[in-house]
Amino acid sequence: MAKALNKTVKVCYPPGCKEVSEEVAKDELVRRLKLLARAFQDMGQDDNDQYAGLALMLATDFYLDHQNKDVRLLVACCIADVFRIFAPEAPYKDQDHLKEIFLFLIKQLRGLEDPEAPSFKRYFYLLENLAWVKSFNICIELDDNQEIFCSLFKLMFSIVSDKHSSKVKNFMLDMMTPLIAEADTVSQELLDVVLINIVEPQKSQNKHAYALAKDLLRRTSNAIEPYIQAFFNNTLMLGKTSESEVSDHLYDLIYELNQVSPNVLLAVLPQLEFKLKSNEEHERKHVTKLLAKMFSEPGSDLANQNKPLWYCFLGRFNDISTSVRIICCSFAQYFVLNHPELTKDILEQLKVRQHDPEETVRIEVINCVMNVAKKDFDFVNEEMMTFIKERTLDKKFKIRREGLLGLGTMYKQVMTKETINPQHEKKVAWIKNKVFHAYYQNSNDDRLLVERIFNINLVPYMLPANVRMLRLLRLYCTLDDHAVKAFNELLKHRSSVRVQVMQLLEAIELHGQPNAPPLFPRLSGLARTLPEQQKPQEYLKKFSQKLRDDKRMRHLLKVVVHPECSCKKAEEAVKEILKKIGCNPGQANYMYNLVKSLLERIAPVMIDAVAMEKLVNHVNETLTGIGENMDGIHNAGEKSVKLLLALSYAYPHHFRTAEVFEKFLTFLNHDDDTVSDITQQIITNTGSNLQRMHPDIYSSLVPVLVRTAKMGNPKQTKHAIRCISVVCKKKEPILAQVFEYVKKNLDPESANYITSIVALGHIAKLCPEEFATDMKSIVSRIIVKDLLMQDQTECVEATESWYSDHLVSEETQAKVQAMKLLVRWLQGLKSNQNNSGTSTLRLLYTVIIHEGDLMEHGRINKPELARLRLQAGCCMLKLAEETCYSDIIPCEQFQALALLINDSCYHVRVKFAIKLHKGLLNMRLPLEFMSIFSLAANDPLKERQRQLKQFLNVNIQKRRDYLKQNPAARNRMFAILPDYILPYTVHLLAHDPDFKTFQQTDALKNIKDCLWFVMDPLTGRSEDYNYAFFRRMIENMKQTKDAQCPEDDDMNKKLYAVCDVALGLMNTKTTNITLKDNNTEPVLPAKLFTKPDKSYANTKSYLPKDFNFDGPRRKGVQALIDGPPRSGYGSKPDPTTTEIIVESPGPVVNPHPKVPRIKRGPLRLKKDEETGKENDGDSNESDSLEKNCGDSDKSSSPEVAKKSTRSSSQDKNCAESQSSSEHTSRGGRGVKVGTKQTRLDDFKVKLSPTKRGKDSVKKSLVNGTNKRTAKAGEGDSSESAKHSRKRHGSSEEDVPSKRTRGATSEDVESQRNTRAADTKKSKGTKDKNGGGGKSYNCDISETDSVSQEGSVSTPGGASPRKRKTSSASPQPSAQVKRRRAKPMSNGTSDGEDTAETDSPSSPPRRVAALARAVQSVGGEDAEGGVRRKTRSRKK
């Protein structure tokens, strides 16, 4: 506190001022101080030393602590003037006294808080005086000046407000600025007082203090920079945060400082680069957000000023933390909007982030582009649009939804403006197509979303009818072909759902009555049209209950689905229904969302009768060229009429006004034939009541249709006759006129020759009884005899296999239409009267087997032959859709028809497959026709194989879904269940013309591929695959005979061989075997198979010895037998190799799904260098195997594998017994008839030492064979060659033949590698598949040293050779040398014939047998059960 005045100090008063003392009354004291203050105010700085005592007196405790605020204020003003008068040396010398005085002055400055107070002027004078004189600068010399400065700054920031004028604020700044700019130091406390005002929450709570602090920092930026730098060094780098109040707001502070004065951060920003690379996620997150704001600020040049920091920031787009990546993407929009020069760098990062594994990041990319588009569409470029375009195909529906909604919003934003920007329109032109392409998704969510976008964004339903229809017309005419198909499908689905809702309403109203339709199937069918996550089955039941109880709601729903409902009524009804359902805000209301989704699909808010009339007017203007709205659209007239056609299928009742049909009459007379043709189809869909509603229009329409039917082109004629049959209630008299006219024009010289053929076919289909006699005569005499069986013209030579329609000769066109006429005629008859169907099928079959040339005159060129056989095949498919004709198609005709899918002409294959797929998808073709897809594995083009596999998958799933949705259909399981295509496939492949004998390996390999092409989708899903059912079905087929030729033993063997291939594929290819309880006995088609003979079990394998199945990679012990990966070993092969041949009659199947692994001891393989025999221990192992084989007749348990050795006499008896069994078994294969399929004596071990020389290496048959190559001595006769086409493709396609890769030596060799760890005298290397011991490789091959055949050339470029096995048994060599086989690129050994085995995929019991087979590799001679044969090799 200030002390009392010393009595020795003399006090002098200015003139006119009275003495002031403690004895003076308060009011008088105030008056005297006012005079004194005025006197000090008027004083200058000259010769005023006599007032020093007065100044000291005024600074005593009495005045500084006076209780009256006016006294204190006047004293403060006097002291402020004293500092001015005595400047630069104040009369106050004591530092404590000075501190007390300045603290007193600071307290008095609080009076500035209320500018409206009476004494504010005096406070303002005090502020002005202190600021102008810079009185507080005296405190700089004080030791504890920071306390004074902090008090002053806190006061100024606390009292500043919007009431203060700029002058007051400037004086505040003038007073504070020198205290920082001229001070020797700025304490952290003072720095906090300033900086705390520019960060939250103070920034928002006191905006004037924030502005004052900003101005102060700008004025003192140079002086305060080192202190700010030191502060950030301590906090950012050293982590000293406890000393500062703003340490918790570091990054906000940096941002604000950059806003206020970027210069103060010049030394701070480089430190942020280290924080960006911090290991702490929260630090990277804060720094990334900070820099994103700083870089993206409008006018910021930080990216150019600090390139290293900019590139480091870009690296955070790839941060490991999801939250950091989201921050980067969220700020990307500001870079695009505020800094176009940085857009390229940002888009490069967004391009990567749109494929981010986190869906939240991908959504943020979409939001970024959308926000840019909303704020300024000019900144949206093509690359940004591509980001959203790609996200519409995202695997997550949530992201697809955001992308599609974003595109729809952008389209609406651009296209709904009164004046459309051409550049913007060009940018969004593709959006409508992309939105409709999303309708191809199988999910109901996607389809509902597309429908919602269509109603709200593409063609807003709120627009007036005239504008809405014009927008719809322009939209449709600018869609691409795929989008048009999706649009048509959209209309179709909506119409289908409306029908289902009407059926549901009918079931609800009739509920409880006799013969009422069942409710549950209709609810289930409707539930399948709604998103699964909305739980449609559950909430539709509740909704149906509400409909049953609430008549008003039921009535409103009837209004919505009524055919004549208007858009306005539909909208009102939907709103009322949703209001009745109710939705509580903030709560998930599944029923409300489900009903809303349902009403969106069925409510006709877009189209009604009024809107349709407006649309037809717009189409009329387009066709006549009056309107300008369709300018610039190619082929707008035809497209606009197609829109009407699409709507006529979905909304036929809205085409009911006379004005609409009058416009249609003008369309029929349009110059464009396509327009008139489409108009006839529209009238066909909408004119069923035309005769009753508009008789005048009807009377004008019929003559036009009759004229078109007589003299139009084939398409017009077809649609004109169909239109007559719908519009006219009595069609027969009118069609009779047409019939008589076209019958007279059945002359090749007539201009309407082809039109007449088309007209006759459709008339015969629509009125089969009225013209039956005439049609039979016309068909037999004119169509078949004079047209199909005659080749009147010589076709132009052509080398290609197909050409365009306009090049096809008129005669060929007539023959094509003639075949269609035959089919339509039979479709009308619907019975095989007088064997008409049989004769027609025989004729079509002859066309196919003769390559299209029915009479084989040779006058037709290749492209037209292709068209004729394609049409014959399509006609057979069409007839097969009728049960009466599908039942009479013989097997030979079906097999010839199936070969069209492998036709030499690409276009024939494609068009035939599409027709087949369409018939199967509609479930009109019988199930057996699905087996034709098995031959698609022969197609040389992988793309075609993938497409046909997709066709097959779709058809299989369609039938499975049908069975689930229609429980009553389970009574016809044999005709619907896709699993039943297997017998048809087996029979079809068994009759493959390339399959000559059941031992033909190359053909069997091809059959294996074809079988797996069908079995893969059948067995792919564990919930659909029933292993036991398939196995029983195949085993039953082996108990039958081929019904097509039951006495042909070779044919039956081929059938059994195909069954064995199917069994092998089940055991090696399928990995999801699940045993299911199924008491259903498989039913075999009696048309293909005789009744199964249950008196014996046909367990014999009919596959060749070297046939192999490539199974999936196994784990554990099975992986050791599979061998190392087929990527090469890198070791140089030795001159010789040891070959092990394991013979098996077929795939050995483990009947138990789980079998315990068998513990095996280490195997030891020793070789006698002189005699080539194994040591005693190995002989015992070999003998043990033979004994086990003999014992397996009694038991097939895996415990057999645990037996180790037997006595020598038992070994010999076992070998003799097995040898005897070999000679008495079927086919000499060593398997008795009726034995179990899992017998271990099916295995035989061969030791075959081979020698290799220049002339002893041959091309491997396993590496690739041509399926057309036959064995030696077997050749195709001229007759068989005529009826069996090569099915790999025509010569002009030049596609190499398929090559089937077989198993390699590594499959069995690897198992031996892991068992021969202690082998003596063996050369081996470390096994690459993880084997721990010494190992060696060997080829598994069969050799023949007696006879060899030369190689033959094949179309595919390979040179497989024919071979035949000698009956002679070669003697074993004296010594066997082992080497590692050098693998080829495809996994087989170098140029050696490698026989295929089925060991890699065998079950555990077979694993044990193979293990012991390898153990006994050095067994005795044939007496001991080991056969040896050699085969020389020739390169």
PDB file of all heavy atoms in Angstrom, residues 477-488:
ATOM      1  N   CYS A 477     -35.908 -41.127 -74.780  1.00  0.00           N
ATOM      2  CA  CYS A 477     -35.286 -41.071 -76.103  1.00  0.00           C
ATOM      3  C   CYS A 477     -33.776 -40.879 -76.038  1.00  0.00           C
ATOM      4  O   CYS A 477     -33.094 -41.049 -77.056  1.00  0.00           O
ATOM      5  CB  CYS A 477     -35.910 -39.945 -76.927  1.00  0.00           C
ATOM      6  SG  CYS A 477     -37.626 -40.257 -77.389  1.00  0.00           S
ATOM      7  N   THR A 478     -33.249 -40.520 -74.877  1.00  0.00           N
ATOM      8  CA  THR A 478     -31.798 -40.337 -74.753  1.00  0.00           C
ATOM      9  C   THR A 478     -31.145 -41.449 -73.944  1.00  0.00           C
ATOM     10  O   THR A 478     -29.948 -41.369 -73.662  1.00  0.00           O
ATOM     11  CB  THR A 478     -31.496 -38.982 -74.081  1.00  0.00           C
ATOM     12  OG1 THR A 478     -32.222 -38.878 -72.849  1.00  0.00           O
ATOM     13  CG2 THR A 478     -31.896 -37.830 -74.989  1.00  0.00           C
ATOM     14  N   LEU A 479     -31.897 -42.470 -73.573  1.00  0.00           N
ATOM     15  CA  LEU A 479     -31.321 -43.604 -72.851  1.00  0.00           C
ATOM     16  C   LEU A 479     -30.591 -44.526 -73.819  1.00  0.00           C
ATOM     17  O   LEU A 479     -30.959 -44.644 -74.990  1.00  0.00           O
ATOM     18  CB  LEU A 479     -32.413 -44.393 -72.131  1.00  0.00           C
ATOM     19  CG  LEU A 479     -33.128 -43.715 -70.958  1.00  0.00           C
ATOM     20  CD1 LEU A 479     -34.235 -44.622 -70.439  1.00  0.00           C
ATOM     21  CD2 LEU A 479     -32.159 -43.368 -69.855  1.00  0.00           C
ATOM     22  N   ASP A 480     -29.551 -45.205 -73.316  1.00  0.00           N
ATOM     23  CA  ASP A 480     -28.890 -46.213 -74.144  1.00  0.00           C
ATOM     24  C   ASP A 480     -29.693 -47.514 -74.107  1.00  0.00           C
ATOM     25  O   ASP A 480     -30.694 -47.630 -73.391  1.00  0.00           O
ATOM     26  CB  ASP A 480     -27.435 -46.422 -73.698  1.00  0.00           C
ATOM     27  CG  ASP A 480     -27.327 -46.939 -72.272  1.00  0.00           C
ATOM     28  OD1 ASP A 480     -28.301 -47.534 -71.772  1.00  0.00           O
ATOM     29  OD2 ASP A 480     -26.273 -46.740 -71.639  1.00  0.00           O
ATOM     30  N   ASP A 481     -29.243 -48.496 -74.878  1.00  0.00           N
ATOM     31  CA  ASP A 481     -30.028 -49.725 -75.024  1.00  0.00           C
ATOM     32  C   ASP A 481     -30.198 -50.468 -73.704  1.00  0.00           C
ATOM     33  O   ASP A 481     -31.274 -50.983 -73.395  1.00  0.00           O
ATOM     34  CB  ASP A 481     -29.364 -50.645 -76.056  1.00  0.00           C
ATOM     35  CG  ASP A 481     -29.405 -50.053 -77.458  1.00  0.00           C
ATOM     36  OD1 ASP A 481     -30.259 -49.173 -77.691  1.00  0.00           O
ATOM     37  OD2 ASP A 481     -28.594 -50.453 -78.316  1.00  0.00           O
ATOM     38  N   HIS A 482     -29.108 -50.546 -72.908  1.00  0.00           N
ATOM     39  CA  HIS A 482     -29.200 -51.255 -71.630  1.00  0.00           C
ATOM     40  C   HIS A 482     -30.142 -50.535 -70.670  1.00  0.00           C
ATOM     41  O   HIS A 482     -30.902 -51.172 -69.932  1.00  0.00           O
ATOM     42  CB  HIS A 482     -27.809 -51.386 -71.010  1.00  0.00           C
ATOM     43  CG  HIS A 482     -26.866 -52.212 -71.826  1.00  0.00           C
ATOM     44  ND1 HIS A 482     -27.038 -53.566 -71.994  1.00  0.00           N
ATOM     45  CD2 HIS A 482     -25.744 -51.876 -72.524  1.00  0.00           C
ATOM     46  CE1 HIS A 482     -26.062 -54.038 -72.753  1.00  0.00           C
ATOM     47  NE2 HIS A 482     -25.267 -53.035 -73.086  1.00  0.00           N
ATOM     48  N   ALA A 483     -30.093 -49.217 -70.670  1.00  0.00           N
ATOM     49  CA  ALA A 483     -30.981 -48.455 -69.795  1.00  0.00           C
ATOM     50  C   ALA A 483     -32.435 -48.604 -70.236  1.00  0.00           C
ATOM     51  O   ALA A 483     -33.347 -48.653 -69.395  1.00  0.00           O
ATOM     52  CB  ALA A 483     -30.569 -46.987 -69.778  1.00  0.00           C
ATOM     53  N   VAL A 484     -32.663 -48.675 -71.548  1.00  0.00           N
ATOM     54  CA  VAL A 484     -34.035 -48.872 -72.043  1.00  0.00           C
ATOM     55  C   VAL A 484     -34.578 -50.216 -71.570  1.00  0.00           C
ATOM     56  O   VAL A 484     -35.737 -50.314 -71.124  1.00  0.00           O
ATOM     57  CB  VAL A 484     -34.058 -48.787 -73.585  1.00  0.00           C
ATOM     58  CG1 VAL A 484     -35.381 -49.291 -74.132  1.00  0.00           C
ATOM     59  CG2 VAL A 484     -33.829 -47.352 -74.033  1.00  0.00           C
ATOM     60  N   LYS A 485     -33.743 -51.251 -71.615  1.00  0.00           N
ATOM     61  CA  LYS A 485     -34.191 -52.563 -71.123  1.00  0.00           C
ATOM     62  C   LYS A 485     -34.508 -52.494 -69.629  1.00  0.00           C
ATOM     63  O   LYS A 485     -35.497 -53.083 -69.173  1.00  0.00           O
ATOM     64  CB  LYS A 485     -33.110 -53.610 -71.390  1.00  0.00           C
ATOM     65  CG  LYS A 485     -32.927 -53.950 -72.855  1.00  0.00           C
ATOM     66  CD  LYS A 485     -31.839 -55.001 -73.037  1.00  0.00           C
ATOM     67  CE  LYS A 485     -31.635 -55.334 -74.511  1.00  0.00           C
ATOM     68  NZ  LYS A 485     -30.552 -56.336 -74.701  1.00  0.00           N
ATOM     69  N   ALA A 486     -33.670 -51.779 -68.890  1.00  0.00           N
ATOM     70  CA  ALA A 486     -33.921 -51.642 -67.454  1.00  0.00           C
ATOM     71  C   ALA A 486     -35.215 -50.865 -67.201  1.00  0.00           C
ATOM     72  O   ALA A 486     -35.988 -51.209 -66.295  1.00  0.00           O
ATOM     73  CB  ALA A 486     -32.738 -50.941 -66.784  1.00  0.00           C
ATOM     74  N   PHE A 487     -35.454 -49.827 -67.996  1.00  0.00           N
ATOM     75  CA  PHE A 487     -36.686 -49.046 -67.845  1.00  0.00           C
ATOM     76  C   PHE A 487     -37.910 -49.926 -68.112  1.00  0.00           C
ATOM     77  O   PHE A 487     -38.896 -49.880 -67.368  1.00  0.00           O
ATOM     78  CB  PHE A 487     -36.670 -47.857 -68.810  1.00  0.00           C
ATOM     79  CG  PHE A 487     -37.913 -47.014 -68.783  1.00  0.00           C
ATOM     80  CD1 PHE A 487     -38.084 -46.027 -67.833  1.00  0.00           C
ATOM     81  CD2 PHE A 487     -38.919 -47.209 -69.717  1.00  0.00           C
ATOM     82  CE1 PHE A 487     -39.239 -45.255 -67.802  1.00  0.00           C
ATOM     83  CE2 PHE A 487     -40.076 -46.442 -69.703  1.00  0.00           C
ATOM     84  CZ  PHE A 487     -40.224 -45.462 -68.739  1.00  0.00           C
ATOM     85  N   ASN A 488     -37.839 -50.721 -69.166  1.00  0.00           N
ATOM     86  CA  ASN A 488     -38.953 -51.627 -69.471  1.00  0.00           C
ATOM     87  C   ASN A 488     -39.158 -52.641 -68.349  1.00  0.00           C
ATOM     88  O   ASN A 488     -40.289 -52.983 -67.988  1.00  0.00           O
ATOM     89  CB  ASN A 488     -38.706 -52.338 -70.796  1.00  0.00           C
ATOM     90  CG  ASN A 488     -38.672 -51.383 -71.969  1.00  0.00           C
ATOM     91  OD1 ASN A 488     -39.208 -50.279 -71.903  1.00  0.00           O
ATOM     92  ND2 ASN A 488     -38.035 -51.784 -73.059  1.00  0.00           N
TER      93      ASN A 488
END
